[in-house]
Amino acid sequence: FFFQAEDGIRDFCLSRGLGDVYKRQVHGDNPEHSDFRLLYYLLIGYFSVELVKLSDSYYADYQKMMRKKDKKRRKREDESKKLLASAVTAVAFLSLIHI
């Protein structure tokens, strides 16, 4: 019987332990094809995507907070303008009465 291991090497044996597979993972010539290297790159990619999602989420929350602050600021400015307009109208009215 021939059994094919995860690394594609065929051996004639009845039982294979994981040690046989892991011993062949890194070769002196080209370590870039090891399963660990692939797993490393996949994890880096996954966490990079998750970091981008998280930063997008934080930025969206920040923008929402800034819009609320801006809305409150504009409301205060509008109230101040109305109050100032009322004061100017009152002063103008009082100045007309005293003429």
Side-chain angles (χ1 to χ4, degrees):
F1 296 97
F2 284 95
F3 293 91
Q4 185 167 357
E6 289 85 355
D7 58 3
I9 299 173
R10 294 178 183 266
D11 282 352
F12 179 75
C13 63
L14 297 177
S15 173
R16 289 184 59 122
L18 289 177
D20 293 337
V21 176
Y22 289 130
K23 285 178 192 172
R24 293 187 214 160
Q25 293 300 315
V26 179
H27 297 287
D29 314 12
N30 193 359
E32 299 211 4
H33 293 106
S34 73
D35 288 341
F36 292 117
R37 174 79 60 159
L38 177 63
L39 180 62
Y40 172 77
Y41 286 137
L42 289 173
L43 287 174
I44 292 297
Y46 171 78
F47 286 118
S48 296
V49 168
E50 290 302 310
L51 183 60
V52 168
K53 287 180 188 176
L54 183 63
S55 62
D56 286 346
S57 173
Y58 280 132
Y59 185 66
D61 290 344
Y62 171 77
Q63 285 181 322
K64 188 176 181 181
M65 180 189 66
M66 292 306 289
R67 281 193 297 269
K68 283 182 181 180
K69 282 185 174 181
D70 194 43
K71 187 176 179 180
K72 286 180 182 179
R73 182 188 51 79
R74 279 187 269 125
K75 185 177 178 181
R76 282 194 311 269
E77 285 177 357
D78 290 344
E79 290 171 353
S80 296
K81 286 177 185 177
K82 288 178 185 176
L83 185 61
L84 182 62
S86 298
V88 168
T89 304
V91 168
F93 179 72
L94 290 174
S95 67
L96 286 176
I97 294 176
H98 285 80
I99 293 182

